[in-house]
Amino acid sequence: MYTQSFNVPDTTEPTGAKAPLSLVGVVSPLSEQDAAAQTRFDTKLNADQKIEPQDWMPEAYRKTLVRQISQHAHSEIVGMLPEGNWISRAPSLKRKAILIAKVQDEGGHGLYLYSAAETLGTSRDQMLADLHSGKAKYSSIFNYPTLTWADVGVIGWLVDGAAIMNQIPLCRCSYGPYARAMIRVCKEESFHQRQGYESLLTLMRGTAEQQAMVQDAVNRWWWKCLAMFGPPDSDSPNSVQGMRWGIKRISNDDLRQKFVDATVPQAEVLGVRLPDPDLKWNEARQHYDFGAIDWDEFWATVNGNGPCNKERLATRVKAHQEGQWVREAALAYAHKQAQKNSLKQEAA
Amino acid sequence: MSQADPKATPPATPLKEWPLWEVFVRSKQGLEHKHCGSLHAADAGQALNMARDVYTRRQEGVSIWVVPSAAISASAPDEKGLFFEPAADKIYRHPTFYEIPDQVGHM
């Protein structure tokens, strides 16, 4: 559950949407050897071949991937929190089992992605340290609270729905380990969306109060889901380089449009209203038109001022610190066992 | 395969991390084990348990191997040509190199 477009500069990098492009512009001249490697790299990309961990790659490509994949991994892990909030209060044993399975999947997705990022030469500890210090970002969508049980359904339907839209093109990403991780993630993601939608269907067949609860959750999440696809194309200079490198395949605005077009009929079947007075079918474009997104709110949340930013990070740090003794004890046990075994072998 | 990059910068903190393991899963009886990813674990037993939880939550496997990543020797990407190209001009190793009259039928 997450979306690729959340590839924003981390805190210590130059802020402002235009900074990354200027960085691309000041690449120092390549040595002859590097120039040959660069040509081989470009040839591979042009032929739509994958780049693998041991292949030569430009430093900027490596850095972009480390940032994007680790942000993606962090998002999966932090994304466990808003839903985990409802495990103990799920309305039935069936819904509880489903929710536990889903949250466990998100943890798994985080692991696939951390592993993919590690192939680029960063370490798990380094990535976690960057998350915990607030240096590394994660998807803003998880900085909003899950106020009612209907939020869990809406997250599955809309947040995971938006994530699927984004992640399917990432399965064709030029970096092999990332593409392979995304294939695995996408296989599991469909369950997430369907369980959410089905849970909402159940509520919509219930009392007027339950129906109102679904509508309220949709009202609160709809615009945030549209913002998940990232800034408009006109304001995302990062995207151009991402496209050239084959990391990004479809632009933010195109993905957002695809999501809206796919979701409107689903909302009709469900019987909820999407909270946008400007939302209507455009016969000429053969797409739905929709209203303007509040980007100020999006950036405020990205920059740490969303309703749950502090709480989410504090929960992560606490969980990590409280697990410290377990990690140390497991290592100590492993060392002891290894020593015992080698002593046994010497004796034999 | 997740091979550590030899040129990578060392981690910021001294290695307190659990070592890295490569995971191979046999999807069903009669098929080979295939590499499917990697994970960190303190020892082999823990690596197996975690591999089960991470890679086979939906019955994707009937058997798992875990191997310390450090124990894997890989061919060098820089010597790819030297290493693999000698096979390129030995087309007589393929059955299609030989022309057999049609009346012989399938062979």
Side-chain angles (χ1 to χ4, degrees):
Chain A
M1 84 139 72
Y2 155 83
T3 159
Q4 113 289 1
S5 303
F6 192 73
N7 178 23
V8 299
D10 281 336
T11 304
T12 53
E13 296 175 54
T15 46
K18 298 212 159 45
L21 194 66
S22 63
L23 283 181
V24 173
V26 292
V27 177
S28 51
L30 295 171
S31 71
E32 208 170 292
Q33 205 182 2
D34 279 356
Q38 175 79 49
T39 308
R40 279 199 300 277
F41 174 83
D42 292 339
T43 311
K44 261 186 219 158
L45 284 191
N46 292 338
D48 232 352
Q49 282 179 1
K50 298 282 183 220
I51 307 299
E52 293 294 341
Q54 291 186 313
D55 295 339
W56 183 92
M57 60 187 86
E59 203 41 42
Y61 176 83
R62 181 191 299 274
K63 272 197 182 142
T64 299
L65 279 170
V66 167
R67 188 181 63 185
Q68 181 171 335
I69 302 172
S70 62
Q71 283 182 1
H72 194 159
H74 298 329
S75 303
E76 301 284 354
I77 300 298
V78 177
M80 297 166 81
L81 302 176
E83 288 180 294
N85 182 36
W86 280 92
I87 289 176
S88 61
R89 287 174 286 150
S92 68
L93 184 58
K94 173 185 147 189
R95 293 291 169 195
K96 185 172 182 158
I98 292 170
L99 187 55
I100 290 173
K102 179 183 189 296
V103 173
Q104 190 190 17
D105 273 359
E106 307 296 1
H109 296 177
L111 286 174
Y112 306 153
L113 287 159
Y114 281 127
S115 297
E118 282 171 84
T119 64
L120 290 157
T122 183
S123 75
R124 182 80 57 98
D125 276 355
Q126 183 65 62
M127 286 186 276
L128 289 179
D130 288 347
L131 171 67
H132 295 158
S133 72
K135 181 188 166 205
K137 304 278 189 198
Y138 55 85
S139 182
S140 263
I141 196 86
F142 305 120
N143 287 319
Y144 297 99
T146 40
L147 299 180
T148 70
W149 170 250
D151 288 40
V152 173
V154 168
I155 286 178
W157 173 37
L158 295 180
V159 177
D160 288 309
I164 291 171
M165 249 351 144
N166 265 316
Q167 288 173 335
I168 286 174
L170 277 177
C171 296
R172 293 183 289 121
C173 150
S174 62
Y175 188 58
Y178 194 23
R180 291 192 286 275
M182 290 322 302
I183 289 169
R184 206 173 281 281
V185 167
C186 283
K187 270 187 197 159
E188 300 179 348
E189 203 75 63
S190 170
F191 142 60
H192 297 178
Q193 191 183 19
R194 289 172 68 108
Q195 65 82 31
Y197 191 75
E198 193 230 25
S199 162
L200 295 178
L201 274 174
T202 308
L203 286 171
M204 290 305 285
R205 291 190 198 113
T207 63
E209 212 180 344
Q210 287 171 315
Q211 293 166 6
M213 189 165 80
V214 175
Q215 184 63 57
D216 169 64
V218 170
N219 292 348
R220 281 181 289 109
W221 288 96
W222 173 249
W223 288 104
K224 296 169 178 67
C225 289
L226 292 191
M228 275 175 75
F229 292 90
D233 295 347
S234 55
D235 197 20
S236 7
N238 253 344
S239 297
V240 180
Q241 185 59 60
M243 292 260 193
R244 208 174 298 148
W245 276 333
I247 297 173
K248 194 174 172 60
R249 297 285 184 179
I250 304 179
S251 83
N252 294 356
D253 285 336
D254 286 352
L255 282 170
R256 191 167 9 246
Q257 183 70 60
K258 268 176 84 136
F259 175 71
V260 172
D261 291 347
T263 308
V264 172
Q266 295 166 359
E268 278 163 15
V269 173
L270 196 56
V272 293
R273 194 180 47 79
L274 297 173
D276 179 359
D278 297 325
L279 184 71
K280 58 174 182 297
W281 179 251
N282 182 326
E283 190 59 35
R285 286 203 313 128
Q286 289 292 300
H287 288 294
Y288 283 93
D289 289 337
F290 52 95
I293 295 168
D294 181 355
W295 291 109
D296 289 341
E297 194 214 336
F298 173 80
W299 285 113
T301 310
V302 168
N303 292 323
N305 301 317
C308 300
N309 294 53
K310 289 197 179 72
E311 184 192 331
R312 299 285 184 245
L313 208 53
T315 308
R316 273 309 318 154
V317 170
K318 183 165 175 270
H320 190 72
Q321 284 170 349
E322 288 179 355
Q324 181 75 26
W325 73 271
V326 179
R327 293 190 295 276
E328 283 168 6
L331 260 189
Y333 178 78
H335 285 314
K336 221 172 177 178
Q337 290 300 311
Q339 266 173 352
K340 258 192 201 166
N341 284 340
S342 65
L343 282 178
K344 244 188 245 165
Q345 272 172 357
E346 273 171 38
Chain B
M1 181 123 337
S2 319
Q3 275 287 306
D5 179 359
K7 281 176 296 187
T9 47
T13 46
L15 196 69
K16 269 280 191 84
E17 253 178 20
W18 288 345
L20 194 62
W21 301 74
E22 299 301 325
V23 180
F24 300 80
V25 171
R26 161 177 281 162
S27 57
K28 70 182 202 200
Q29 207 64 25
L31 295 182
E32 71 276 50
H33 287 75
K34 255 176 92 175
H35 182 250
C36 73
S38 52
L39 51 78
H40 289 274
D43 58 29
Q46 194 192 29
L48 277 173
N49 279 326
M50 287 177 36
R52 181 202 57 187
D53 290 345
V54 177
Y55 293 107
T56 63
R57 287 195 301 281
R58 291 179 175 78
Q59 296 182 293
E60 291 94 337
V62 294
S63 164
I64 299 176
W65 290 347
V66 290
V67 180
S69 304
I72 291 183
S73 310
S75 60
D78 295 346
E79 291 162 21
K80 199 164 108 191
L82 208 64
F83 207 63
F84 295 107
E85 265 163 28
D89 58 358
K90 297 179 180 59
I91 49 172
Y92 47 82
R93 286 181 167 156
H94 296 276
T96 44
F97 180 73
Y98 304 94
E99 275 193 33
I100 305 290
D102 283 348
Q103 61 260 43
V104 176
H106 178 72
M107 179 185 274

